[in-house]
């Protein structure tokens, strides 16, 4: 079934650094199950990336397992795709080091996320935070993928990955496939409910909806969602209405409807009806995922079996690429 050399390949990951949120789900994750028949898929839990910011070790372990359960609950069938923990496949760190030596200080300095994160963590601007995109390039290039499905905020990191791959290939021949970012049209950038000028992120929990949150809490966040001062309270997308535009995006992504259909459905109804309707659509989308995650988390042995098998399958492919790279750069084989 897998690694047959004919199917296209896809790889992506999410950091288990916090609770999975609606941005992670509606942006990339909800599309992943649609792809597992067409592609050979590698989906991992990016635990190595999380320690660029201090983590509580016990929490990190717990969240990693919970994220694996959520992957499966969202429809990633471990029989049909490879699910694994990044730190279980040492080739990620090993290729990361090699690629560090083919990445320029200047280009890393221009990464928006580095600038943002170092502003937020002024007391811990560590080297890992700086070289983070290189490790991400290694995560991707090890699997020779065609596509990398991510949200809008990771596009710059996929672009630098392409630059690194092209640079390496320029020196050593075609070692890496140069992948394309795959960014969904609807949901690529879900904004905060409380501050719709910034993206939804776990660092702003008031405006962030978590996948495991209770329905009543989700409803409360939507009812309180920041809109605008339009006196007609018109449900329509517009640059001066970021809050309402974001709610339309969320409703469209959760229900599969087009923006135009959503605007028509709520024409003349005002925000009072619209906001709870969005909340309900989200609650209904998340309910089966939450229930299935809870069920899976009760079966630790099953989850352990999934990540062990996943690490083995991922390592097989990753080590093949790593061997090729080591040979190209001139390391003596063991
Ligand atoms: P992370 O863990 O921050 O986010 C996981 C995925 O969710 C997307 N995302 C969003 N999409 C829409 N709206 C939002 N508000 C929103 N917030 C987050 C992200 O774009 C991402 O696709 N560096 C990555 C993890 C990673 C990775 C990789 C991804 C490590 N190695 C290799 C792809 C390939 C990250 O921190 O994503």
């Amino acid at each position: 079934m897998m690694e047959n050399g004919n199917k296209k390949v896809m790889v992506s990951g999410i950091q288990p650094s916090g609770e999975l949120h609606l941005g992670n789900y509606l942006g990339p994750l909800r599309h992943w199950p649609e792809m597992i028949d067409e592609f050979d898929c590698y989906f991992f839990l990016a635990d190595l990336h999380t320690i660029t910011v201090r983590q509580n070790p016990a929490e990190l372990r717990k969240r990693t397992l919970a994220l694996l359960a959520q992957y499966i609950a969202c429809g990633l069938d471990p029989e049909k795709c490879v699910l694994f923990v990044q730190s279980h496949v040492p080739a990620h760190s090993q290729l990361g080091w090699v690629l560090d030596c083919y990445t320029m200080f200047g280009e890393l300095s221009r990464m928006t996320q580095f600038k943002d994160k170092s502003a937020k963590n002024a007391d811990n601007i560590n080297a890992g935070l700086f070289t983070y995109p290189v490790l991400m390039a290694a995560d991707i290039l090890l699997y020779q993928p065609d596509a990398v499905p991510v949200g809008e905020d990771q596009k710059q990191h996929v672009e630098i990955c392409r630059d690194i791959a092209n640079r390496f290939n320029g020196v050593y021949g075609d070692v890496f496939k140069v992948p394309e970012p795959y960014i969904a049209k609807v949901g690529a950038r879900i904004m905060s409910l409380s501050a719709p000028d910034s993206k939804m992120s776990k660092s702003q929990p008031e405006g962030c909806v978590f996948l495991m949150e209770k329905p009543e809490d989700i409803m409360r966040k939507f009812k309180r969602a920041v809109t605008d001062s339009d006196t007609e309270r018109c449900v329509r997308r517009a640059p001066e209405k970021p809050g309402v535009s974001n709610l339309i995006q969320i409703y469209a992504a959760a229900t599969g409807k087009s923006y135009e259909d959503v605007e028509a459905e709520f024409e003349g109804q005002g925000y009072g009806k619209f906001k709870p309707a969005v909340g309900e659509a989200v609650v209904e989308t998340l309910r089966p995922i939450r229930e299935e995650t809870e069920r899976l988390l009760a079966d630790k042995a099953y989850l352990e079996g999934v990540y062990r098998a996943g690490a083995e399958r991922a390592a097989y492919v990753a080590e093949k690429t790593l061997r090729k790279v080591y040979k190209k750069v001139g390391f003596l084989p063991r």
Side-chain angles (χ1 to χ4, degrees):
M1 173 191 62
M2 307 286 307
E3 296 114 26
N4 60 15
N6 300 324
K7 265 180 158 181
K8 286 189 173 175
V9 177
M10 180 163 270
V11 59
S12 197
I14 296 180
Q15 293 194 60
S17 53
E19 295 285 327
L20 203 60
H21 62 72
L22 196 60
N24 304 135
Y25 180 68
L26 293 182
L29 182 51
R30 96 192 137 106
H31 296 289
W32 296 355
E34 297 162 6
M35 297 161 176
I36 53 179
D37 288 325
E38 195 185 332
F39 290 83
D40 273 344
C41 290
Y42 298 85
F43 296 121
F44 61 93
L45 313 161
D47 58 346
L48 294 174
H49 278 94
T50 67
I51 62 163
T52 53
V53 174
R54 287 279 173 279
Q55 301 292 328
N56 172 316
E59 276 289 304
L60 180 58
R61 265 189 291 275
K62 207 170 123 198
R63 286 196 164 131
T64 306
L65 205 62
L67 185 54
L68 176 65
Q70 285 174 312
Y71 272 13
I72 302 170
C74 287
L76 296 178
D77 178 351
E79 299 293 322
K80 292 188 175 174
C81 60
V82 182
L83 304 179
F84 66 101
V85 180
Q86 187 188 25
S87 66
H88 292 178
V89 181
H92 288 243
S93 310
Q94 293 167 310
L95 182 62
W97 168 253
V98 176
L99 297 182
D100 273 336
C101 304
Y102 295 81
T103 308
M104 300 301 130
F105 184 87
E107 60 188 343
L108 288 175
S109 314
R110 288 192 291 275
M111 293 292 112
T112 320
Q113 190 170 313
F114 172 68
K115 289 192 238 168
D116 287 354
K117 284 204 175 173
S118 45
K120 280 187 197 139
N121 298 286
D123 55 346
N124 185 19
I125 307 177
N126 59 70
L129 198 61
F130 188 65
T131 59
Y132 176 117
V134 189
L135 179 59
M136 180 159 161
D139 299 337
I140 296 170
L141 298 175
L142 281 173
Y143 301 93
Q144 308 282 0
D146 298 273
V148 185
V150 286
E152 184 68 42
D153 65 325
Q154 293 297 322
K155 192 171 169 211
Q156 196 183 35
H157 289 162
V158 181
E159 274 158 11
I160 195 176
C161 165
R162 290 168 53 86
D163 293 342
I164 297 168
N166 280 320
R167 183 173 302 135
F168 197 91
N169 287 349
V171 181
Y172 300 104
D174 283 342
V175 178
F176 297 123
K177 186 161 224 169
V178 183
E180 299 283 343
Y182 174 87
I183 297 172
K185 289 197 183 67
V186 176
R189 192 170 170 81
I190 301 290
M191 309 306 278
S192 161
L193 298 186
S194 57
D197 291 323
S198 43
K199 70 168 185 187
M200 181 176 284
S201 108
K202 56 188 174 279
S203 59
Q204 284 186 321
E206 340 65 79
C208 186
V209 173
F210 298 100
L211 258 65
M212 299 300 283
E213 220 166 352
K214 289 201 218 80
E216 54 271 31
D217 294 337
I218 297 179
M219 287 305 291
R220 192 169 25 80
K221 285 183 177 170
F222 276 98
K223 284 182 187 158
R224 283 192 196 153
V226 168
T227 46
D228 52 64
S229 52
D230 175 1
T231 46
E232 289 179 22
R233 304 176 75 71
C234 186
V235 178
R236 136 183 97 72
R237 285 162 306 144
E240 69 281 11
K241 291 160 77 78
V244 169
S245 304
N246 185 42
L247 291 172
I248 293 175
Q249 178 185 212
I250 292 173
Y251 190 76
T255 59
K257 293 178 183 167
S258 70
Y259 292 146
E260 292 72 22
D261 286 348
V262 179
E263 288 170 346
E265 185 177 339
F266 291 95
E267 195 173 348
Q269 296 202 34
Y271 303 158
K273 283 243 171 78
F274 180 53
K275 291 204 280 185
V278 184
E280 261 156 39
V282 168
V283 165
E284 288 319 312
T285 304
L286 300 185
R287 187 189 306 281
I289 299 172
R290 193 186 67 238
E291 289 170 359
E292 181 63 1
T293 302
E294 279 162 2
R295 197 186 64 77
L296 287 163
L297 277 174
D299 192 352
K300 295 249 164 21
Y302 169 73
L303 294 172
E304 282 166 14
V306 168
Y307 68 63
R308 286 210 187 99
E312 218 170 285
R313 289 163 78 180
Y316 177 81
V317 178
E319 281 166 14
K320 212 158 114 184
T321 302
L322 185 70
R323 276 199 299 276
K324 203 163 153 189
V325 168
Y326 273 15
K327 190 169 171 201
K328 290 284 184 186
V329 299
F331 293 162
L332 187 66
R334 196 166 72 178

mmCIF file of all heavy atoms in Angstrom, residues 97-136:
data_model
loop_
_atom_site.group_PDB
_atom_site.id
_atom_site.type_symbol
_atom_site.label_atom_id
_atom_site.label_comp_id
_atom_site.label_asym_id
_atom_site.label_seq_id
_atom_site.Cartn_x
_atom_site.Cartn_y
_atom_site.Cartn_z
ATOM 1 N N TRP A 97 20.987 19.232 10.967
ATOM 2 C CA TRP A 97 22.348 19.761 11.136
ATOM 3 C C TRP A 97 23.011 20.010 9.774
ATOM 4 O O TRP A 97 23.595 21.071 9.535
ATOM 5 C CB TRP A 97 23.220 18.825 11.985
ATOM 6 C CG TRP A 97 24.647 19.242 11.880
ATOM 7 C CD1 TRP A 97 25.644 18.618 11.215
ATOM 8 C CD2 TRP A 97 25.213 20.463 12.381
ATOM 9 N NE1 TRP A 97 26.796 19.354 11.263
ATOM 10 C CE2 TRP A 97 26.561 20.497 11.975
ATOM 11 C CE3 TRP A 97 24.700 21.539 13.117
ATOM 12 C CZ2 TRP A 97 27.412 21.549 12.284
ATOM 13 C CZ3 TRP A 97 25.545 22.594 13.430
ATOM 14 C CH2 TRP A 97 26.890 22.596 13.022
ATOM 15 N N VAL A 98 22.885 19.023 8.882
ATOM 16 C CA VAL A 98 23.517 19.192 7.566
ATOM 17 C C VAL A 98 22.942 20.441 6.886
ATOM 18 O O VAL A 98 23.689 21.290 6.387
ATOM 19 C CB VAL A 98 23.307 17.936 6.678
ATOM 20 C CG1 VAL A 98 23.875 18.172 5.275
ATOM 21 C CG2 VAL A 98 23.960 16.715 7.312
ATOM 22 N N LEU A 99 21.634 20.569 6.927
ATOM 23 C CA LEU A 99 21.012 21.709 6.231
ATOM 24 C C LEU A 99 21.335 23.050 6.904
ATOM 25 O O LEU A 99 21.350 24.086 6.236
ATOM 26 C CB LEU A 99 19.490 21.515 6.117
ATOM 27 C CG LEU A 99 19.038 20.299 5.297
ATOM 28 C CD1 LEU A 99 17.524 20.246 5.215
ATOM 29 C CD2 LEU A 99 19.640 20.303 3.892
ATOM 30 N N ASP A 100 21.614 23.012 8.211
ATOM 31 C CA ASP A 100 22.063 24.240 8.887
ATOM 32 C C ASP A 100 23.261 24.836 8.151
ATOM 33 O O ASP A 100 23.436 26.056 8.099
ATOM 34 C CB ASP A 100 22.528 23.933 10.329
ATOM 35 C CG ASP A 100 21.384 23.954 11.333
ATOM 36 O OD1 ASP A 100 20.362 24.611 11.056
ATOM 37 O OD2 ASP A 100 21.520 23.319 12.395
ATOM 38 N N CYS A 101 24.082 23.940 7.621
ATOM 39 C CA CYS A 101 25.318 24.394 6.965
ATOM 40 C C CYS A 101 25.075 24.841 5.524
ATOM 41 O O CYS A 101 26.006 25.237 4.830
ATOM 42 C CB CYS A 101 26.357 23.281 7.027
ATOM 43 S SG CYS A 101 26.673 22.751 8.719
ATOM 44 N N TYR A 102 23.826 24.746 5.095
ATOM 45 C CA TYR A 102 23.465 25.213 3.746
ATOM 46 C C TYR A 102 22.372 26.269 3.816
ATOM 47 O O TYR A 102 21.610 26.452 2.877
ATOM 48 C CB TYR A 102 23.013 24.020 2.873
ATOM 49 C CG TYR A 102 24.155 23.060 2.634
ATOM 50 C CD1 TYR A 102 24.504 22.120 3.599
ATOM 51 C CD2 TYR A 102 24.927 23.143 1.476
ATOM 52 C CE1 TYR A 102 25.583 21.272 3.410
ATOM 53 C CE2 TYR A 102 26.010 22.293 1.280
ATOM 54 C CZ TYR A 102 26.332 21.364 2.251
ATOM 55 O OH TYR A 102 27.404 20.537 2.065
ATOM 56 N N THR A 103 22.283 26.913 4.971
ATOM 57 C CA THR A 103 21.263 27.947 5.163
ATOM 58 C C THR A 103 21.981 29.195 5.681
ATOM 59 O O THR A 103 22.875 29.079 6.518
ATOM 60 C CB THR A 103 20.211 27.486 6.207
ATOM 61 O OG1 THR A 103 19.737 26.200 5.814
ATOM 62 C CG2 THR A 103 19.039 28.454 6.276
ATOM 63 N N MET A 104 21.597 30.329 5.173
ATOM 64 C CA MET A 104 22.323 31.554 5.496
ATOM 65 C C MET A 104 21.725 32.280 6.702
ATOM 66 O O MET A 104 20.495 32.309 6.865
ATOM 67 C CB MET A 104 22.317 32.498 4.291
ATOM 68 C CG MET A 104 22.965 31.904 3.061
ATOM 69 S SD MET A 104 24.688 31.451 3.402
ATOM 70 C CE MET A 104 24.713 29.778 2.777
ATOM 71 N N PHE A 105 22.586 32.874 7.475
ATOM 72 C CA PHE A 105 22.167 33.673 8.629
ATOM 73 C C PHE A 105 21.160 34.735 8.192
ATOM 74 O O PHE A 105 20.120 34.929 8.818
ATOM 75 C CB PHE A 105 23.414 34.325 9.255
ATOM 76 C CG PHE A 105 23.110 35.092 10.498
ATOM 77 C CD1 PHE A 105 23.087 34.464 11.730
ATOM 78 C CD2 PHE A 105 22.845 36.450 10.441
ATOM 79 C CE1 PHE A 105 22.805 35.167 12.886
ATOM 80 C CE2 PHE A 105 22.562 37.162 11.590
ATOM 81 C CZ PHE A 105 22.534 36.525 12.818
ATOM 82 N N GLY A 106 21.468 35.394 7.070
ATOM 83 C CA GLY A 106 20.615 36.483 6.590
ATOM 84 C C GLY A 106 19.206 36.025 6.282
ATOM 85 O O GLY A 106 18.233 36.675 6.661
ATOM 86 N N GLU A 107 19.095 34.872 5.617
ATOM 87 C CA GLU A 107 17.738 34.440 5.244
ATOM 88 C C GLU A 107 16.934 34.026 6.469
ATOM 89 O O GLU A 107 15.725 34.268 6.538
ATOM 90 C CB GLU A 107 17.728 33.393 4.117
ATOM 91 C CG GLU A 107 18.443 32.105 4.391
ATOM 92 C CD GLU A 107 18.541 31.212 3.149
ATOM 93 O OE1 GLU A 107 17.806 31.418 2.168
ATOM 94 O OE2 GLU A 107 19.371 30.289 3.168
ATOM 95 N N LEU A 108 17.598 33.436 7.459
ATOM 96 C CA LEU A 108 16.865 33.079 8.682
ATOM 97 C C LEU A 108 16.440 34.329 9.451
ATOM 98 O O LEU A 108 15.391 34.351 10.085
ATOM 99 C CB LEU A 108 17.718 32.173 9.574
ATOM 100 C CG LEU A 108 17.907 30.737 9.080
ATOM 101 C CD1 LEU A 108 18.859 29.980 9.991
ATOM 102 C CD2 LEU A 108 16.578 29.995 8.982
ATOM 103 N N SER A 109 17.264 35.363 9.367
ATOM 104 C CA SER A 109 16.933 36.615 10.079
ATOM 105 C C SER A 109 15.679 37.269 9.526
ATOM 106 O O SER A 109 15.047 38.067 10.203
ATOM 107 C CB SER A 109 18.055 37.645 9.957
ATOM 108 O OG SER A 109 19.282 37.061 10.198
ATOM 109 N N ARG A 110 15.343 36.938 8.301
ATOM 110 C CA ARG A 110 14.166 37.565 7.686
ATOM 111 C C ARG A 110 12.850 36.834 7.972
ATOM 112 O O ARG A 110 11.783 37.279 7.560
ATOM 113 C CB ARG A 110 14.364 37.651 6.161
ATOM 114 C CG ARG A 110 15.383 38.701 5.758
ATOM 115 C CD ARG A 110 15.346 38.967 4.262
ATOM 116 N NE ARG A 110 15.842 37.839 3.487
ATOM 117 C CZ ARG A 110 17.141 37.618 3.204
ATOM 118 N NH1 ARG A 110 18.064 38.439 3.640
ATOM 119 N NH2 ARG A 110 17.502 36.576 2.491
ATOM 120 N N MET A 111 12.910 35.709 8.663
ATOM 121 C CA MET A 111 11.690 34.935 8.903
ATOM 122 C C MET A 111 10.745 35.680 9.853
ATOM 123 O O MET A 111 11.119 36.016 10.980
ATOM 124 C CB MET A 111 12.037 33.567 9.513
ATOM 125 C CG MET A 111 12.780 32.626 8.594
ATOM 126 S SD MET A 111 11.748 32.071 7.221
ATOM 127 C CE MET A 111 12.568 32.890 5.886
ATOM 128 N N THR A 112 9.534 35.902 9.369
ATOM 129 C CA THR A 112 8.544 36.651 10.165
ATOM 130 C C THR A 112 8.301 35.996 11.526
ATOM 131 O O THR A 112 8.199 36.671 12.537
ATOM 132 C CB THR A 112 7.195 36.670 9.406
ATOM 133 O OG1 THR A 112 7.480 36.863 8.052
ATOM 134 C CG2 THR A 112 6.274 37.730 9.902
ATOM 135 N N GLN A 113 8.178 34.645 11.505
ATOM 136 C CA GLN A 113 7.849 33.978 12.760
ATOM 137 C C GLN A 113 8.983 34.136 13.780
ATOM 138 O O GLN A 113 8.737 34.282 14.971
ATOM 139 C CB GLN A 113 7.532 32.504 12.515
ATOM 140 C CG GLN A 113 6.961 31.852 13.761
ATOM 141 C CD GLN A 113 6.420 30.464 13.490
ATOM 142 O OE1 GLN A 113 5.690 30.217 12.550
ATOM 143 N NE2 GLN A 113 6.794 29.536 14.331
ATOM 144 N N PHE A 114 10.229 34.109 13.305
ATOM 145 C CA PHE A 114 11.360 34.315 14.221
ATOM 146 C C PHE A 114 11.274 35.705 14.838
ATOM 147 O O PHE A 114 11.455 35.872 16.050
ATOM 148 C CB PHE A 114 12.700 34.125 13.498
ATOM 149 C CG PHE A 114 13.872 34.524 14.351
ATOM 150 C CD1 PHE A 114 14.209 33.776 15.477
ATOM 151 C CD2 PHE A 114 14.613 35.659 14.069
ATOM 152 C CE1 PHE A 114 15.268 34.155 16.300
ATOM 153 C CE2 PHE A 114 15.671 36.041 14.887
ATOM 154 C CZ PHE A 114 15.995 35.290 16.000
ATOM 155 N N LYS A 115 10.967 36.681 14.002
ATOM 156 C CA LYS A 115 10.893 38.055 14.526
ATOM 157 C C LYS A 115 9.777 38.166 15.562
ATOM 158 O O LYS A 115 9.964 38.724 16.636
ATOM 159 C CB LYS A 115 10.684 39.046 13.374
ATOM 160 C CG LYS A 115 11.929 39.187 12.493
ATOM 161 C CD LYS A 115 11.790 40.360 11.556
ATOM 162 C CE LYS A 115 11.913 39.929 10.123
ATOM 163 N NZ LYS A 115 11.544 40.903 9.140
ATOM 164 N N ASP A 116 8.614 37.574 15.238
ATOM 165 C CA ASP A 116 7.480 37.617 16.180
ATOM 166 C C ASP A 116 7.808 36.906 17.475
ATOM 167 O O ASP A 116 7.594 37.420 18.565
ATOM 168 C CB ASP A 116 6.256 36.889 15.596
ATOM 169 C CG ASP A 116 5.606 37.694 14.494
ATOM 170 O OD1 ASP A 116 6.026 38.846 14.278
ATOM 171 O OD2 ASP A 116 4.690 37.153 13.837
ATOM 172 N N LYS A 117 8.308 35.664 17.326
ATOM 173 C CA LYS A 117 8.531 34.842 18.528
ATOM 174 C C LYS A 117 9.643 35.415 19.377
ATOM 175 O O LYS A 117 9.595 35.319 20.596
ATOM 176 C CB LYS A 117 8.834 33.390 18.150
ATOM 177 C CG LYS A 117 7.602 32.636 17.720
ATOM 178 C CD LYS A 117 7.758 31.143 17.899
ATOM 179 C CE LYS A 117 6.460 30.417 17.582
ATOM 180 N NZ LYS A 117 6.600 28.971 17.580
ATOM 181 N N SER A 118 10.677 36.001 18.756
ATOM 182 C CA SER A 118 11.746 36.534 19.601
ATOM 183 C C SER A 118 11.297 37.809 20.299
ATOM 184 O O SER A 118 11.750 38.103 21.403
ATOM 185 C CB SER A 118 13.065 36.710 18.836
ATOM 186 O OG SER A 118 12.853 37.302 17.611
ATOM 187 N N ALA A 119 10.334 38.513 19.680
ATOM 188 C CA ALA A 119 9.797 39.684 20.378
ATOM 189 C C ALA A 119 8.989 39.231 21.601
ATOM 190 O O ALA A 119 9.048 39.848 22.664
ATOM 191 C CB ALA A 119 8.929 40.500 19.431
ATOM 192 N N LYS A 120 8.265 38.081 21.440
ATOM 193 C CA LYS A 120 7.433 37.594 22.549
ATOM 194 C C LYS A 120 8.249 36.896 23.635
ATOM 195 O O LYS A 120 7.826 36.814 24.778
ATOM 196 C CB LYS A 120 6.387 36.609 22.011
ATOM 197 C CG LYS A 120 5.205 37.321 21.374
ATOM 198 C CD LYS A 120 4.101 36.334 21.008
ATOM 199 C CE LYS A 120 3.133 36.955 20.025
ATOM 200 N NZ LYS A 120 2.705 36.029 18.976
ATOM 201 N N ASN A 121 9.391 36.305 23.256
ATOM 202 C CA ASN A 121 10.211 35.564 24.229
ATOM 203 C C ASN A 121 11.571 36.231 24.370
ATOM 204 O O ASN A 121 12.613 35.596 24.209
ATOM 205 C CB ASN A 121 10.438 34.116 23.760
ATOM 206 C CG ASN A 121 9.140 33.356 23.648
ATOM 207 O OD1 ASN A 121 8.550 32.981 24.635
ATOM 208 N ND2 ASN A 121 8.687 33.152 22.427
ATOM 209 N N ALA A 122 11.563 37.509 24.688
ATOM 210 C CA ALA A 122 12.816 38.286 24.691
ATOM 211 C C ALA A 122 13.873 37.691 25.628
ATOM 212 O O ALA A 122 15.067 37.857 25.405
ATOM 213 C CB ALA A 122 12.512 39.729 25.061
ATOM 214 N N ASP A 123 13.443 36.954 26.662
ATOM 215 C CA ASP A 123 14.426 36.401 27.599
ATOM 216 C C ASP A 123 14.915 35.011 27.170
ATOM 217 O O ASP A 123 15.710 34.391 27.860
ATOM 218 C CB ASP A 123 13.801 36.319 29.006
ATOM 219 C CG ASP A 123 12.499 35.538 28.996
ATOM 220 O OD1 ASP A 123 11.949 35.290 27.888
ATOM 221 O OD2 ASP A 123 12.026 35.146 30.078
ATOM 222 N N ASN A 124 14.442 34.509 26.041
ATOM 223 C CA ASN A 124 14.891 33.170 25.602
ATOM 224 C C ASN A 124 14.958 33.107 24.076
ATOM 225 O O ASN A 124 14.290 32.297 23.449
ATOM 226 C CB ASN A 124 13.934 32.100 26.170
ATOM 227 C CG ASN A 124 14.397 30.677 25.856
ATOM 228 O OD1 ASN A 124 15.570 30.450 25.537
ATOM 229 N ND2 ASN A 124 13.486 29.726 25.926
ATOM 230 N N ILE A 125 15.764 33.974 23.493
ATOM 231 C CA ILE A 125 15.935 33.939 22.029
ATOM 232 C C ILE A 125 17.075 32.960 21.754
ATOM 233 O O ILE A 125 18.221 33.345 21.568
ATOM 234 C CB ILE A 125 16.234 35.344 21.467
ATOM 235 C CG1 ILE A 125 15.159 36.334 21.949
ATOM 236 C CG2 ILE A 125 16.270 35.313 19.934
ATOM 237 C CD1 ILE A 125 15.391 37.759 21.511
ATOM 238 N N ASN A 126 16.719 31.675 21.781
ATOM 239 C CA ASN A 126 17.758 30.649 21.664
ATOM 240 C C ASN A 126 18.054 30.314 20.205
ATOM 241 O O ASN A 126 17.301 30.676 19.291
ATOM 242 C CB ASN A 126 17.338 29.406 22.472
ATOM 243 C CG ASN A 126 16.020 28.829 22.001
ATOM 244 O OD1 ASN A 126 15.930 28.262 20.917
ATOM 245 N ND2 ASN A 126 14.969 28.987 22.798
ATOM 246 N N ALA A 127 19.165 29.593 19.995
ATOM 247 C CA ALA A 127 19.593 29.268 18.630
ATOM 248 C C ALA A 127 18.562 28.378 17.926
ATOM 249 O O ALA A 127 18.393 28.450 16.708
ATOM 250 C CB ALA A 127 20.965 28.597 18.659
ATOM 251 N N GLY A 128 17.865 27.547 18.707
ATOM 252 C CA GLY A 128 16.850 26.672 18.105
ATOM 253 C C GLY A 128 15.701 27.465 17.509
ATOM 254 O O GLY A 128 15.165 27.107 16.450
ATOM 255 N N LEU A 129 15.345 28.542 18.167
ATOM 256 C CA LEU A 129 14.268 29.394 17.649
ATOM 257 C C LEU A 129 14.694 29.978 16.291
ATOM 258 O O LEU A 129 13.900 30.114 15.370
ATOM 259 C CB LEU A 129 14.009 30.514 18.659
ATOM 260 C CG LEU A 129 12.692 31.265 18.568
ATOM 261 C CD1 LEU A 129 11.512 30.341 18.768
ATOM 262 C CD2 LEU A 129 12.657 32.372 19.626
ATOM 263 N N PHE A 130 15.977 30.265 16.201
ATOM 264 C CA PHE A 130 16.516 30.864 14.978
ATOM 265 C C PHE A 130 16.593 29.841 13.838
ATOM 266 O O PHE A 130 16.221 30.126 12.704
ATOM 267 C CB PHE A 130 17.908 31.433 15.294
ATOM 268 C CG PHE A 130 18.486 32.247 14.173
ATOM 269 C CD1 PHE A 130 17.888 33.434 13.771
ATOM 270 C CD2 PHE A 130 19.638 31.832 13.521
ATOM 271 C CE1 PHE A 130 18.430 34.189 12.730
ATOM 272 C CE2 PHE A 130 20.187 32.579 12.489
ATOM 273 C CZ PHE A 130 19.573 33.761 12.092
ATOM 274 N N THR A 131 17.043 28.616 14.172
ATOM 275 C CA THR A 131 17.231 27.614 13.103
ATOM 276 C C THR A 131 15.982 26.730 12.905
ATOM 277 O O THR A 131 16.017 25.805 12.096
ATOM 278 C CB THR A 131 18.443 26.702 13.402
ATOM 279 O OG1 THR A 131 18.218 26.049 14.650
ATOM 280 C CG2 THR A 131 19.732 27.497 13.468
ATOM 281 N N TYR A 132 14.944 27.038 13.606
ATOM 282 C CA TYR A 132 13.674 26.301 13.508
ATOM 283 C C TYR A 132 13.275 25.988 12.053
ATOM 284 O O TYR A 132 12.923 24.838 11.737
ATOM 285 C CB TYR A 132 12.634 27.169 14.225
ATOM 286 C CG TYR A 132 11.202 26.763 14.244
ATOM 287 C CD1 TYR A 132 10.565 26.472 15.452
ATOM 288 C CD2 TYR A 132 10.429 26.707 13.090
ATOM 289 C CE1 TYR A 132 9.229 26.144 15.487
ATOM 290 C CE2 TYR A 132 9.100 26.369 13.126
ATOM 291 C CZ TYR A 132 8.493 26.091 14.325
ATOM 292 O OH TYR A 132 7.169 25.755 14.350
ATOM 293 N N PRO A 133 13.323 26.967 11.132
ATOM 294 C CA PRO A 133 12.898 26.647 9.759
ATOM 295 C C PRO A 133 13.799 25.622 9.067
ATOM 296 O O PRO A 133 13.348 24.948 8.138
ATOM 297 C CB PRO A 133 12.992 27.990 9.023
ATOM 298 C CG PRO A 133 13.010 29.033 10.087
ATOM 299 C CD PRO A 133 13.668 28.401 11.282
ATOM 300 N N VAL A 134 15.040 25.477 9.542
ATOM 301 C CA VAL A 134 15.937 24.493 8.921
ATOM 302 C C VAL A 134 15.513 23.084 9.336
ATOM 303 O O VAL A 134 15.490 22.152 8.522
ATOM 304 C CB VAL A 134 17.412 24.744 9.300
ATOM 305 C CG1 VAL A 134 18.316 23.852 8.472
ATOM 306 C CG2 VAL A 134 17.778 26.210 9.135
ATOM 307 N N LEU A 135 15.160 22.941 10.618
ATOM 308 C CA LEU A 135 14.651 21.643 11.070
ATOM 309 C C LEU A 135 13.360 21.318 10.321
ATOM 310 O O LEU A 135 13.129 20.177 9.913
ATOM 311 C CB LEU A 135 14.420 21.675 12.595
ATOM 312 C CG LEU A 135 13.863 20.397 13.212
ATOM 313 C CD1 LEU A 135 14.771 19.195 12.975
ATOM 314 C CD2 LEU A 135 13.633 20.580 14.722
ATOM 315 N N MET A 136 12.561 22.318 10.121
ATOM 316 C CA MET A 136 11.301 22.101 9.376
ATOM 317 C C MET A 136 11.616 21.679 7.935
ATOM 318 O O MET A 136 10.939 20.805 7.378
ATOM 319 C CB MET A 136 10.457 23.377 9.423
ATOM 320 C CG MET A 136 9.163 23.263 8.686
ATOM 321 S SD MET A 136 7.979 24.490 9.245
ATOM 322 C CE MET A 136 6.849 24.475 7.850
#
